[in-house]
Amino acid sequence: MSARARADSAHISPSAHYTGYVWYRHQLSEPAFATGFGRFAHTLLTPLTWGVRELAGLDLENILLQRHLLIDARLTAAIETGGVRQVVEIACGLSPRGRRFCQRYPQLRYLEADLPGMAARKRLLLHSEGWLDSRHRVRDVDILAEQGERSLAALFAELDRNEPVLVITEGLVNYFPLALLEGFWTRLATQLAAFPRGSYLTELYPDLREHPRYRQLRWGIDLVGRLTRGGYWLHYRSTAAIAAAFHGCGFRAVEVIDPDQVSLELPAVAMPSMLRVIEAHTGTLN
């Protein structure tokens, strides 16, 4: 089996249902985003996630909430102080972010994208609720495609090249081996360079072996990989390594954000966080 076949991101969709239900449970989305499968998966996994929290100290639900809220906060700042009026959320799954932010900011254009099956489901959901319009759209994309109608180039062709753009991927990048991931980032940076300013928000779980409970966390993260029917890689050993990788892929400015070091009020976890949110930029617009 080729590396590309092994990295087919179709296996991520079950976790999209689970996280979609988590957002709904915590009043971050409307009922339409909560699927029956997501409710079933959450109920089924509750004893397991409780055990992981008690034995490994890994609070999966609060970590999901931390990353979602921290990305939301950075997006809010980009819109309110950075002049961003067009957003692309890749691997959107059942994220409610596009709906919430289009409601909040009438000037915003929001383009969601995912693999064809998930994109079709999201498109139908938004259309049936009357939320799909010229400002809020859904398109097919394959982040591994280097050309063609599902490539990043085709996706970004719909945007206004005279305006800043911000791209989000949430719950995506740790599913991919490093070479494929950095290939995606390089193609993304190339597309963003065509705009006055291109910004990218994502999250990573780096391989922090000095973490006081690394062995337990490693066990919990391996379990996540098995539950989502694919690998779950921990990339990079330090903040400096993360920044160097993004610079190497073509981003000019990189900030690596530790949830433990921000003033934003986030759901608590019982140990130092392994989560890192990355905000990277191309272009020169202030």
Side-chain angles (χ1 to χ4, degrees), residues 102-103 105-111 133-137:
C102 282
Q103 279 186 299
Y105 299 104
Q107 78 276 22
L108 194 65
R109 296 176 60 202
Y110 207 102
L111 180 60
D133 56 28
S134 60
R135 291 198 304 121
H136 190 182
R137 296 164 290 152

Side-chain angles (χ1 to χ4, degrees), residues 39-55:
R39 184 187 301 270
F40 168 77
H42 189 274
T43 300
L44 183 67
L45 293 175
T46 292
L48 183 58
T49 55
W50 176 86
V52 170
R53 183 173 65 250
E54 294 300 309
L55 296 174

Side-chain angles (χ1 to χ4, degrees), residues 114 132 141 187 189 191 202 210 242:
D114 212 318
L132 204 64
V141 75
R187 291 190 296 277
Q191 293 301 318
T202 192
E210 69 279 7
I242 294 171

Side-chain angles (χ1 to χ4, degrees), residues 16 20 34 84 111 171 188 262 271:
V84 167
L111 180 60
L188 178 60
V262 299
M271 64 178 66

Side-chain angles (χ1 to χ4, degrees), residues 73-227:
R74 287 291 170 138
L75 174 58
T76 297
I79 294 168
E80 293 185 356
T81 65
V84 167
R85 292 190 292 183
Q86 48 186 356
V87 177
V88 181
E89 185 166 1
I90 296 173
C92 60
L94 292 168
S95 167
R97 185 177 285 115
R99 165 64 176 165
R100 288 191 288 110
F101 275 79
C102 282
Q103 279 186 299
R104 190 182 306 169
Y105 299 104
Q107 78 276 22
L108 194 65
R109 296 176 60 202
Y110 207 102
L111 180 60
E112 302 196 49
D114 212 318
L115 290 170
M118 193 71 239
R121 184 174 190 128
K122 189 63 168 292
R123 194 179 297 115
L124 179 61
L125 184 160
L126 295 174
H127 177 74
S128 65
E129 297 291 332
W131 298 335
L132 204 64
D133 56 28
S134 60
R135 291 198 304 121
H136 190 182
R137 296 164 290 152
V138 183
R139 295 290 183 265
D140 296 354
V141 75
D142 179 351
I143 68 165
L144 303 181
E146 298 184 9
Q147 55 187 358
E149 63 182 9
R150 294 177 186 162
S151 67
L152 293 178
L155 182 66
F156 281 79
E158 299 191 28
L159 302 177
D160 184 345
R161 299 294 174 122
N162 297 313
E163 292 278 353
V165 62
L166 185 146
V167 175
I168 297 167
T169 62
E170 181 181 5
L172 174 70
V173 298
N174 281 90
Y175 286 102
F176 291 93
L178 190 58
L180 291 180
L181 177 58
E182 291 188 349
F184 161 58
W185 285 341
T186 299
R187 291 190 296 277
L188 178 60
T190 298
Q191 293 301 318
L192 291 179
F195 296 83
R197 184 172 177 84
S199 304
Y200 175 45
L201 285 169
T202 192
E203 96 287 346
L204 278 170
Y205 300 91
D207 194 9
L208 301 177
R209 297 182 188 180
E210 69 279 7
H211 193 283
R213 300 190 68 179
Y214 176 79
R215 291 180 62 185
Q216 296 94 327
L217 289 168
R218 179 71 263 186
W219 175 83
I221 288 167
D222 288 343
L223 178 62
V224 170
R226 289 193 291 273
L227 290 174

Side-chain angles (χ1 to χ4, degrees), residues 82 164 192-199 252-253 281-286:
L192 291 179
F195 296 83
R197 184 172 177 84
S199 304
R252 293 187 179 182
H281 301 280
T282 63
T284 57
L285 185 66
N286 294 323

Side-chain angles (χ1 to χ4, degrees), residues 204-208 234-238 242 274-276:
L204 278 170
Y205 300 91
D207 194 9
L208 301 177
L234 300 185
H235 301 305
Y236 312 113
R237 292 291 309 280
S238 67
I242 294 171
M274 285 186 73
L275 169 68
R276 298 293 182 268

